[in-house]
């Protein structure tokens, strides 16, 4: 066993003594040492219950003949970090999570890992660590939050972000806002819609790194969740014995399956960043052109919040990700021979079925014939941009308007609250990319306020959007402004043309004017000059490369 280097031989007597200090027995050290990587904390609603899952996973490990050892992982709640400088740390925390797990697992020579995340950056960070370390791993997440209820309707945190716009435009009272915010989040779990956390938890199934149900069994269904964790704990011991490693599973076929599911369910645009980063950790590149080519042949068969009214609990009742894969397989976009932690993916689909065709549409009747995410290019985004097409209203898929340019999220928030944005405009938020932000902040506050106010505008940024965002919101514009990308040269009243069906994003100025502005551009001073974010800004790659550190 890999852990023998910290357990066996006379030169490891001191090592064994340190294990004994914590109550391990000599018999424990004869077994595989399994790290239970628990992201529990008391600041993220999706993580508040992970202690129970860790305990269940430990029981599973012990029952299968392993020795469980719980170790920590950090996490940031994107909702609480939203709209202030805390959001600068959200995406960068993904790298800290991956680095810390790599350090703990390698330093202690663990034989395998049960990874217990739940929310936005924690899931991809753990998968990146698994791919880097390449020891047997299985993921068991905390599960989605149940919907809240307000005035007889489902409600989630995304409606509360939008409620700020309703309040500021005088459409609801302060009392109504208070009642809504106290109703939206009824308990533990990752926020109830198909936002980034739930998108990534679902894609972890499609990647083959988790058991079926990982993405959709609600956190409130604690019995089923604990069962999943217990089975995952037992499974990891078997994976160690078989020496089945993440890079055996995280192959090109696995990522193509994950992208197909992403397109079929209309997942968060952040999944493009995360899948690209996980693939990089596994040793290969995922070009953005691959996302677009798979999207072009993958039907969009679910319409979950924020694009629709159904939630993860509904998708679970309809058959979960296995049912989605079953339907997508009919379109020929699924590799059933791809390996998972339980064997070939096709084995999972033998008994899969869609029990609610109004939630998971059959292939004969998709919401759309193409996938939920589109990759745009043009003179404004030479290295591409990303939009969640499934959450864009039909009358905004093609749009042209004058630019309103802002150099930070804070500037556009002030303009929105002061009623300075008009219908028909294209809001441009720049210097919020991986280097410029630094950290590539999510822009849920401005997009939610725009929705709440009922403004008919588009929004472009070299930053990114929350999975809860809906509307004509185009992010990940690359190269970013801080790197001298074309978004840095946009001026107020420039006409911008958006054509999502034809994958085009154009700044309508002459080549001569474009070059004149390029020559006149001066890189601004960094917003942060010390600490982790300053180091991050120096090392991070473009969003088109997954915003990874090199």
């Amino acid at each position: 066993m890999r852990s023998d280097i910290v357990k066996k031989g006379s030169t490891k007597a001191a090592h064994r003594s340190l294990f004994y200090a914590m109550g391990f027995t000599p018999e424990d050290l004869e077994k595989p040492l399994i790290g239970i990587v628990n992201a529990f904390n008391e600041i993220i609603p999706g993580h508040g219950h992970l202690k129970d899952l860790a305990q269940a996973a430990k029981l599973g490990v012990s029952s299968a003949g392993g020795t469980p050892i719980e170790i920590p992982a950090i996490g940031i709640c994107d909702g609480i970090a939203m709209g202030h400088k805390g959001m600068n740390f959200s995406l960068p925390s993904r790298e800290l999570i991956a680095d810390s797990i790599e350090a703990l697992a390698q330093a202690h020579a663990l034989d395998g890992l049960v990874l217990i995340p739940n929310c936005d950056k924690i899931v991809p960070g753990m998968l990146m660590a698994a791919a880097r370390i390449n020891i047997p791993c299985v993921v068991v997440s905390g599960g989605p939050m149940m919907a809240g209820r307000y005035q007889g309707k489902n409600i989630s945190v995304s409606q509360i972000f939008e409620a700020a716009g309703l309040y500021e435009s005088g459409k609801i009272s302060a009392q109504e806002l208070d009642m809504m915010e106290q109703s939206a989040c009824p308990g533990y779990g990752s926020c109830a819609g198909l936002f980034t956390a739930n998108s990534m938890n679902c894609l972890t199934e499609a990647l083959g790194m988790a058991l079926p149900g990982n993405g959709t069994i609600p956190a409130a269904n604690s019995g089923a969740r604990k069962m999943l964790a217990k089975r995952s704990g037992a499974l990891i011991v078997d994976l160690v014995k078989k020496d089945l490693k993440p890079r055996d599973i995280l192959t090109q076929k696995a990522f193509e399956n994950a992208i197909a599911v992403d397109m079929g369910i209309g997942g968060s645009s952040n999944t493009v960043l995360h899948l690209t980063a996980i693939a990089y950790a596994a040793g290969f590149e995922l070009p953005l052109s691959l996302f677009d080519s798979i999207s072009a042949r993958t039907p969009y068969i679910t319409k979950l919040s924020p694009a629709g009214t159904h939630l993860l609990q509904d998708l679970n009742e309809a058959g979960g990700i296995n049912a989605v894969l079953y339907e997508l397989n009919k379109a020929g976009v699924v590799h059933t021979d791809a390996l998972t932690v339980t064997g070939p993916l096709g084995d999972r689909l033998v008994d899969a079925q869609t029990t609610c065709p109004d939630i998971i549409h059959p292939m004969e009747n998709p919401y759309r014939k193409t996938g939920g995410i589109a990759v745009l290019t043009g003179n404004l985004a030479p290295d591409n941009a990303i939009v969640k097409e499934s959450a864009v209203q039909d009358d905004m898929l093609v749009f042209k308007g004058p630019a309103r340019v802002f150099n930070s999220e804070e500037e556009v928030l002030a303009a929105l609250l002061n009623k300075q944005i008009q219908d028909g405009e294209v809001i441009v938020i720049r210097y919020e990319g991986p280097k410029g932000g630094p950290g590539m902040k999510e822009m849920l506050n401005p997009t939610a306020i725009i929705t709440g106010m009922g403004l008919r505008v588009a929004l472009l940024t070299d930053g990114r959007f929350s999975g809860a965002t809906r509307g004509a919101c185009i992010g990940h514009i690359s190269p970013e402004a801080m790197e001298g990308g074309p978004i840095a040269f946009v001026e107020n009243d420039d006409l911008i043309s958006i054509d999502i069906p034809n994958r085009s994003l154009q700044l309508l100025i002459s080549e001569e004017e474009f070059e004149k502005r390029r020559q006149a551009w001066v890189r601004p001073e960094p917003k942060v000059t010390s600490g982790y974010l300053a180091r991050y800004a120096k090392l991070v790659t473009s969003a088109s490369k997954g915003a990874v550190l090199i």
Side-chain angles (χ1 to χ4, degrees):
M1 285 184 290
R2 169 182 143 102
S3 60
D4 286 350
I5 63 172
V6 298
K7 300 186 303 186
K8 299 290 186 180
S10 61
T11 60
K12 301 302 186 293
H15 302 61
R16 292 191 294 273
S17 184
L18 292 168
F19 276 104
Y20 299 154
M22 294 180 286
F24 290 93
T25 67
E27 293 75 22
D28 290 333
L29 301 187
E30 294 296 324
K31 303 171 186 177
L33 300 185
I34 305 299
I36 310 296
V37 186
N38 185 5
F40 164 80
N41 59 53
E42 294 183 342
I43 194 66
I44 305 178
H47 289 210
H49 62 306
L50 297 188
K51 280 184 176 180
D52 292 340
L53 297 188
Q55 185 61 31
K58 289 180 190 178
L59 290 172
V61 169
S62 296
S63 70
T67 296
I69 304 173
E70 188 171 346
I71 57 178
I74 67 162
I76 287 174
C77 178
D78 277 20
I80 295 173
M82 195 71 66
H84 58 94
K85 65 182 181 181
M87 180 47 67
N88 293 89
F89 287 89
S90 173
L91 184 60
S93 74
R94 185 187 70 181
E95 314 306 311
L96 293 174
I97 292 160
D99 289 350
S100 62
I101 294 170
E102 178 186 9
L104 277 165
Q106 298 287 47
H108 301 104
L110 298 176
D111 294 302
L113 300 175
V114 177
L115 302 168
I116 308 179
N118 208 28
C119 290
D120 291 35
K121 309 308 164 299
I122 300 90
V123 179
M126 288 193 177
L127 286 167
M128 289 164 65
R132 282 190 209 167
I133 306 164
N134 202 33
I135 62 173
C137 294
V138 62
V139 177
V140 54
S141 301
M145 186 184 293
M146 296 293 286
R149 297 287 292 174
Y150 179 70
Q151 294 184 344
K153 295 181 181 179
N154 284 339
I155 188 173
S156 74
V157 71
S158 64
Q159 281 88 16
I160 307 308
F161 277 102
E162 293 174 5
L166 294 172
Y167 173 72
E168 291 295 337
S169 59
K171 296 176 181 177
I172 62 172
S173 67
Q175 183 182 17
E176 288 174 302
L177 179 61
D178 180 67
M179 291 173 65
M180 290 177 70
E181 68 187 57
Q182 293 196 43
S183 304
C185 300
Y188 291 137
S190 47
C191 299
L194 190 64
F195 314 139
T196 304
N198 288 325
S199 296
M200 287 306 304
N201 281 328
C202 288
L203 297 192
T204 302
E205 286 188 51
L207 283 170
M209 290 295 294
L211 290 171
N214 181 69
T216 59
I217 297 173
N221 192 348
S222 60
R225 271 281 151 195
K226 289 178 184 177
M227 190 184 302
L228 195 70
K230 192 178 294 185
R231 286 175 172 165
S232 298
L235 175 62
I236 191 62
V237 178
D238 185 52
L239 296 180
V240 169
K241 292 175 182 177
K242 293 177 178 176
D243 198 29
L244 183 62
K245 298 173 182 176
R247 292 197 185 190
D248 300 324
I249 297 169
L250 295 173
T251 63
Q252 182 76 23
K253 288 182 177 180
F255 282 98
E256 290 182 7
N257 285 343
I259 294 170
V261 169
D262 199 13
M263 300 306 164
I265 64 177
S268 164
S269 59
N270 285 314
T271 57
V272 178
L273 275 177
H274 298 324
L275 288 175
T276 304
I278 296 162
Y280 177 81
F284 57 92
E285 290 189 6
L286 284 184
L288 295 188
S289 58
L290 179 64
F291 288 83
D292 210 46
S293 65
I294 293 176
S295 180
R297 60 180 190 270
T298 304
Y300 174 49
I301 60 174
T302 74
K303 199 166 187 178
L304 306 181
S305 174
T309 58
H310 294 131
L311 299 163
L312 268 292
Q313 63 206 60
D314 303 312
L315 181 61
N316 189 62
E317 291 176 12
I321 295 304
N322 273 1
V324 171
L325 284 161
Y326 176 80
E327 288 295 332
L328 293 180
N329 189 39
K330 296 177 185 177
V333 295
V334 174
H335 301 287
T336 57
D337 59 339
L339 194 61
T340 76
V341 290
T342 56
L345 179 66
D347 291 352
R348 296 186 177 188
L349 306 187
V350 172
D351 297 320
Q353 59 177 320
T354 302
T355 58
C356 303
D358 59 323
I359 296 171
I360 302 175
H361 277 206
M363 296 304 302
E364 300 76 24
N365 181 35
Y367 284 101
R368 273 208 324 264
K369 293 182 179 180
T370 57
I373 293 175
V375 180
L376 310 185
T377 190
N379 69 350
L380 193 49
D383 292 343
N384 305 119
I386 303 296
V387 61
K388 188 172 180 176
E389 185 178 5
S390 60
V392 181
Q393 292 181 348
D394 289 346
D395 65 349
M396 292 294 292
L397 291 170
V398 177
F399 188 79
K400 183 189 295 184
R404 288 292 309 279
V405 183
F406 302 90
N407 290 330
S408 70
E409 180 191 20
E410 289 78 9
E411 290 178 15
V412 76
L413 282 171
L416 284 165
L417 295 177
N418 289 321
K419 315 297 190 296
Q420 296 171 350
I421 304 296
Q422 305 299 318
D423 282 349
E425 294 180 328
V426 178
I427 300 170
V428 178
I429 309 176
R430 62 192 179 194
Y431 297 107
E432 291 288 12
K435 290 182 179 293
M440 202 178 182
K441 291 193 295 188
E442 288 184 345
M443 304 292 166
L444 180 57
N445 264 2
T447 61
I449 290 172
I450 287 167
T451 300
M453 287 182 166
L455 289 169
R456 187 176 182 274
V457 297
L459 195 158
L460 314 181
T461 182
D462 54 5
R464 60 196 179 92
F465 295 109
S466 164
T469 293
R470 55 185 173 134
C473 301
I474 299 167
H476 306 202
I477 290 178
S478 302
E480 64 174 289
M482 199 65 175
E483 291 279 76
I487 192 174
F489 314 141
V490 183
E491 296 181 0
N492 282 325
D493 298 321
D494 286 346
L495 280 180
I496 292 175
S497 172
I498 300 165
D499 188 341
I500 295 173
N502 289 307
R503 305 302 195 246
S504 175
L505 182 61
Q506 300 287 342
L507 176 63
L508 301 181
I509 61 174
S510 69
E511 285 295 325
E512 293 77 14
E513 178 64 18
F514 208 104
E515 187 58 32
K516 177 183 175 182
R517 295 182 189 181
R518 187 191 306 275
Q519 295 296 329
W521 178 75
V522 177
R523 187 190 307 275
E525 290 296 314
K527 296 176 185 175
V528 179
T529 57
S530 63
Y532 174 56
L533 289 181
R535 298 196 303 275
Y536 178 88
K538 291 178 181 177
L539 298 172
V540 70
T541 64
S542 167
S544 64
K545 301 293 185 183
V548 296
L549 298 187
I550 58 171

